[in-house]
Amino acid sequence: MDTLRKQKIIVYALLWALFLLMPPMRFLRIHKSYIVNTGYIESATRTSVRMKGGTTLTVGESYRAAFCEALDI
């Protein structure tokens, strides 16, 4: 299982279609280009998410309300 976590996977699909297939309690859409696994969120504000490993992502305006509600921010 650890090797799978380190691999990059390329998927040719629309992001919204892929998002509909994911478990909603485990994944959040935070931007038109980003879906995040909530188990890998290190910290979050209303406008950004810091992931384990150090990557920081921006929360898009149109996704902000749902994101903040899901994480009680």
Side-chain angles (χ1 to χ4, degrees):
M1 183 67 107
D2 287 330
T3 56
L4 181 61
R5 290 183 184 180
K6 294 178 183 179
Q7 292 178 349
K8 289 188 179 188
I9 300 171
I10 298 172
V11 177
Y12 294 101
L14 297 173
L15 194 59
W16 65 266
L18 187 61
F19 181 63
L20 293 176
L21 299 173
M22 296 179 174
M25 297 305 293
R26 192 168 170 195
F27 292 91
L28 291 173
R29 182 122 186 227
I30 64 164
H31 188 275
K32 68 179 182 176
S33 301
Y34 307 130
I35 296 171
V36 296
N37 182 331
T38 57
Y40 288 90
I41 294 175
E42 187 174 283
S43 62
T45 67
R46 293 183 52 79
T47 59
S48 67
V49 176
R50 182 165 177 86
M51 304 300 291
K52 292 179 183 175
T55 302
T56 301
L57 303 170
T58 301
V59 178
E61 279 188 51
S62 57
Y63 300 93
R64 195 166 292 153
F67 169 74
C68 291
E69 183 179 331
L71 294 184
D72 287 328
I73 295 178

